[in-house]
Amino acid sequence: MNEWITLSFMPCHRMPERSLNVKGKQFPLCFRCMGILFGMILGVSFTLLFFQALTFVHLLMAVLFIIPLLVDGFTQKWGWRRSTNFLRLLTGLLCGMGLSLAIVILSKWGVSLIILVTS
């Protein structure tokens, strides 16, 4: 149970300078991972509510949502520039929404394929 409260199952570096601190307490995730988590929660809800028919175009949109996180993370890793916590949170939100959109699309396609093969 404690693992769920501290989110210790998530692979995050938890660096204090890259994490949200409220009244001296550090949030258990960095801004990027927090953005991914919230983006996935928002993305699943948004996808199920607003996208009835999911197409290949939606899958491309999901990939486009993930690219900013990759650009931000790798340009920071390679030392080309420094990222900010706001940018980490924003690219994490986009990536989480893209990941959830891709998961919903691929799941629906997988279920359709199974139904098609077994019927």
Side-chain angles (χ1 to χ4, degrees), residues 12 14 32 46 83:
C12 178
R14 295 173 173 80
R32 186 171 285 137
F46 185 79
S83 187

Side-chain angles (χ1 to χ4, degrees), residues 17-30:
E17 65 274 6
R18 294 185 185 174
S19 300
L20 178 66
N21 286 296
V22 178
K23 294 183 181 181
K25 300 284 185 181
Q26 180 180 336
F27 194 75
L29 297 174
C30 70

Side-chain angles (χ1 to χ4, degrees), residues 102-116:
I103 290 167
V104 169
I105 290 170
L106 295 174
S107 298
K108 284 188 172 191
W109 288 353
V111 168
S112 297
L113 182 63
I114 291 170
I115 291 172
L116 181 70

Side-chain angles (χ1 to χ4, degrees), residues 60-97:
L60 290 177
M61 188 172 77
V63 171
L64 289 176
F65 277 16
I66 296 168
I67 290 174
L69 180 128
L70 297 173
V71 170
D72 181 45
F74 279 111
T75 56
Q76 179 180 336
K77 180 180 173 73
W78 295 331
W80 295 357
R81 60 178 194 78
R82 279 191 51 85
S83 187
T84 64
N85 285 336
F86 176 75
L87 191 56
R88 290 181 186 108
L89 181 65
L90 183 63
T91 58
L93 277 168
L94 287 172
C95 180
M97 291 179 77

